[in-house]
Amino acid sequence: MTQEESGAFAALSMILAAVVKVLPPETAHKVARELRAAQLDAKHQDGPDRTDPAFRLGRDHLVNAYRELLNSVSEGTVYLVSGGNK
């Protein structure tokens, strides 16, 4: 990945994290469930010769991080920059 691609990826990740943090808890819970279903589907589509192991590992790491964030939002344990609890 080039430096420009890495920068764009990092910026998009920051934007998505900021959006996720302000979701209503019920919405975050639903999104977490949908993301888990998509992750399971992707794993089902993975095959020994179809998906590069490094790609699979990176994908799963990122998806798990967002699922944890979504679960934290749905549980009300996310703290916003303003210092307030969600």
Side-chain angles (χ1 to χ4, degrees), residues 5-69:
E5 290 169 333
S6 293
F9 180 78
L12 288 172
S13 187
M14 285 186 260
I15 292 165
L16 184 55
V19 170
V20 166
K21 285 181 177 183
V22 296
L23 289 175
E26 303 81 26
T27 303
H29 180 72
K30 290 177 186 177
V31 173
R33 276 195 329 223
E34 289 298 320
L35 187 54
R36 178 64 178 151
Q39 185 179 30
L40 290 173
D41 185 53
K43 285 183 179 187
H44 178 73
Q45 299 297 322
D46 288 342
D49 298 325
R50 288 187 285 193
T51 307
D52 177 54
F55 173 84
R56 191 170 43 234
L57 181 66
R59 177 197 65 204
D60 290 343
H61 178 73
L62 185 61
V63 169
N64 288 335
Y66 278 105
R67 283 183 46 230
E68 286 179 28
L69 177 58

